mmCIF file of all heavy atoms in Angstrom:
data_model
loop_
_atom_site.group_PDB
_atom_site.id
_atom_site.type_symbol
_atom_site.label_atom_id
_atom_site.label_comp_id
_atom_site.label_asym_id
_atom_site.label_seq_id
_atom_site.Cartn_x
_atom_site.Cartn_y
_atom_site.Cartn_z
ATOM 1 N N ASP U 350 -64.521 46.168 -120.630
ATOM 2 C CA ASP U 350 -64.293 46.424 -122.056
ATOM 3 C C ASP U 350 -65.599 46.582 -122.841
ATOM 4 O O ASP U 350 -65.581 46.899 -124.021
ATOM 5 C CB ASP U 350 -63.529 45.245 -122.694
ATOM 6 C CG ASP U 350 -62.028 45.369 -122.472
ATOM 7 O OD1 ASP U 350 -61.570 46.476 -122.129
ATOM 8 O OD2 ASP U 350 -61.329 44.355 -122.644
ATOM 9 N N PHE U 351 -66.717 46.343 -122.177
ATOM 10 C CA PHE U 351 -68.016 46.374 -122.860
ATOM 11 C C PHE U 351 -68.343 47.798 -123.331
ATOM 12 O O PHE U 351 -68.300 48.744 -122.556
ATOM 13 C CB PHE U 351 -69.107 45.875 -121.918
ATOM 14 C CG PHE U 351 -70.501 46.027 -122.453
ATOM 15 C CD1 PHE U 351 -70.925 45.294 -123.546
ATOM 16 C CD2 PHE U 351 -71.393 46.908 -121.851
ATOM 17 C CE1 PHE U 351 -72.209 45.435 -124.043
ATOM 18 C CE2 PHE U 351 -72.689 47.045 -122.339
ATOM 19 C CZ PHE U 351 -73.095 46.310 -123.438
ATOM 20 N N VAL U 352 -68.622 47.921 -124.624
ATOM 21 C CA VAL U 352 -69.066 49.208 -125.175
ATOM 22 C C VAL U 352 -70.524 49.047 -125.572
ATOM 23 O O VAL U 352 -70.842 48.345 -126.535
ATOM 24 C CB VAL U 352 -68.230 49.622 -126.399
ATOM 25 C CG1 VAL U 352 -68.715 50.964 -126.940
ATOM 26 C CG2 VAL U 352 -66.752 49.698 -126.028
ATOM 27 N N PRO U 353 -71.433 49.645 -124.810
ATOM 28 C CA PRO U 353 -72.862 49.448 -125.095
ATOM 29 C C PRO U 353 -73.280 50.151 -126.371
ATOM 30 O O PRO U 353 -72.604 51.075 -126.831
ATOM 31 C CB PRO U 353 -73.554 50.071 -123.878
ATOM 32 C CG PRO U 353 -72.581 51.024 -123.315
ATOM 33 C CD PRO U 353 -71.209 50.521 -123.662
ATOM 34 N N PRO U 354 -74.400 49.703 -126.966
ATOM 35 C CA PRO U 354 -74.942 50.400 -128.126
ATOM 36 C C PRO U 354 -75.183 51.874 -127.806
ATOM 37 O O PRO U 354 -75.355 52.245 -126.647
ATOM 38 C CB PRO U 354 -76.272 49.683 -128.381
ATOM 39 C CG PRO U 354 -76.142 48.362 -127.709
ATOM 40 C CD PRO U 354 -75.209 48.540 -126.562
ATOM 41 N N ALA U 355 -75.211 52.706 -128.846
ATOM 42 C CA ALA U 355 -75.289 54.161 -128.665
ATOM 43 C C ALA U 355 -76.709 54.614 -128.361
ATOM 44 O O ALA U 355 -77.314 55.374 -129.114
ATOM 45 C CB ALA U 355 -74.756 54.861 -129.910
ATOM 46 N N ILE U 356 -77.268 54.166 -127.220
ATOM 47 C CA ILE U 356 -78.596 54.647 -126.824
ATOM 48 C C ILE U 356 -78.487 56.120 -126.424
ATOM 49 O O ILE U 356 -77.409 56.621 -126.109
ATOM 50 C CB ILE U 356 -79.178 53.834 -125.647
ATOM 51 C CG1 ILE U 356 -78.177 53.775 -124.476
ATOM 52 C CG2 ILE U 356 -79.570 52.439 -126.096
ATOM 53 C CD1 ILE U 356 -78.757 53.250 -123.190
ATOM 54 N N HIS U 357 -79.650 56.799 -126.428
ATOM 55 C CA HIS U 357 -79.638 58.235 -126.129
ATOM 56 C C HIS U 357 -79.486 58.530 -124.643
ATOM 57 O O HIS U 357 -79.138 59.645 -124.274
ATOM 58 C CB HIS U 357 -80.897 58.888 -126.687
ATOM 59 C CG HIS U 357 -80.853 58.996 -128.186
ATOM 60 N ND1 HIS U 357 -80.164 60.004 -128.827
ATOM 61 C CD2 HIS U 357 -81.357 58.206 -129.160
ATOM 62 C CE1 HIS U 357 -80.282 59.843 -130.131
ATOM 63 N NE2 HIS U 357 -80.990 58.753 -130.361
ATOM 64 N N ALA U 358 -79.759 57.544 -123.792
ATOM 65 C CA ALA U 358 -79.567 57.743 -122.352
ATOM 66 C C ALA U 358 -78.097 57.505 -122.029
ATOM 67 O O ALA U 358 -77.713 56.474 -121.488
ATOM 68 C CB ALA U 358 -80.465 56.791 -121.564
ATOM 69 N N GLY U 359 -77.243 58.492 -122.376
ATOM 70 C CA GLY U 359 -75.805 58.351 -122.205
ATOM 71 C C GLY U 359 -75.414 58.049 -120.768
ATOM 72 O O GLY U 359 -74.428 57.361 -120.518
ATOM 73 N N GLY U 360 -76.184 58.556 -119.814
ATOM 74 C CA GLY U 360 -75.870 58.356 -118.396
ATOM 75 C C GLY U 360 -76.140 56.946 -117.905
ATOM 76 O O GLY U 360 -75.830 56.623 -116.759
ATOM 77 N N LEU U 361 -76.728 56.087 -118.750
ATOM 78 C CA LEU U 361 -77.041 54.716 -118.315
ATOM 79 C C LEU U 361 -76.183 53.691 -119.047
ATOM 80 O O LEU U 361 -76.524 52.516 -119.091
ATOM 81 C CB LEU U 361 -78.534 54.400 -118.542
ATOM 82 C CG LEU U 361 -79.556 55.359 -117.928
ATOM 83 C CD1 LEU U 361 -80.968 54.797 -118.081
ATOM 84 C CD2 LEU U 361 -79.272 55.641 -116.456
ATOM 85 N N ARG U 362 -75.033 54.125 -119.596
ATOM 86 C CA ARG U 362 -74.230 53.210 -120.412
ATOM 87 C C ARG U 362 -73.035 52.623 -119.670
ATOM 88 O O ARG U 362 -72.192 51.961 -120.261
ATOM 89 C CB ARG U 362 -73.772 53.918 -121.693
ATOM 90 C CG ARG U 362 -74.926 54.224 -122.642
ATOM 91 C CD ARG U 362 -74.496 55.014 -123.872
ATOM 92 N NE ARG U 362 -73.807 54.212 -124.854
ATOM 93 C CZ ARG U 362 -72.564 54.442 -125.290
ATOM 94 N NH1 ARG U 362 -71.879 55.452 -124.806
ATOM 95 N NH2 ARG U 362 -72.005 53.658 -126.176
ATOM 96 N N TYR U 363 -72.944 52.840 -118.361
ATOM 97 C CA TYR U 363 -71.810 52.332 -117.588
ATOM 98 C C TYR U 363 -71.830 50.798 -117.540
ATOM 99 O O TYR U 363 -72.900 50.193 -117.453
ATOM 100 C CB TYR U 363 -71.864 52.929 -116.180
ATOM 101 C CG TYR U 363 -70.704 52.572 -115.297
ATOM 102 C CD1 TYR U 363 -69.398 52.860 -115.698
ATOM 103 C CD2 TYR U 363 -70.899 51.963 -114.063
ATOM 104 C CE1 TYR U 363 -68.330 52.543 -114.891
ATOM 105 C CE2 TYR U 363 -69.833 51.649 -113.247
ATOM 106 C CZ TYR U 363 -68.545 51.935 -113.661
ATOM 107 O OH TYR U 363 -67.490 51.615 -112.860
ATOM 108 N N HIS U 364 -70.630 50.177 -117.565
ATOM 109 C CA HIS U 364 -70.577 48.710 -117.611
ATOM 110 C C HIS U 364 -70.882 48.047 -116.272
ATOM 111 O O HIS U 364 -71.208 46.869 -116.217
ATOM 112 C CB HIS U 364 -69.196 48.228 -118.102
ATOM 113 C CG HIS U 364 -68.087 48.515 -117.135
ATOM 114 N ND1 HIS U 364 -67.416 49.722 -117.119
ATOM 115 C CD2 HIS U 364 -67.539 47.771 -116.131
ATOM 116 C CE1 HIS U 364 -66.485 49.699 -116.164
ATOM 117 N NE2 HIS U 364 -66.549 48.531 -115.561
ATOM 118 N N GLY U 365 -70.733 48.805 -115.189
ATOM 119 C CA GLY U 365 -70.942 48.241 -113.861
ATOM 120 C C GLY U 365 -72.048 48.944 -113.108
ATOM 121 O O GLY U 365 -72.976 49.488 -113.718
#
Side-chain angles (χ1 to χ4, degrees):
D350 277 343
F351 173 67
V352 180
I356 52 168
H357 287 279
L361 306 188
R362 292 176 76 239
Y363 184 57
H364 68 274

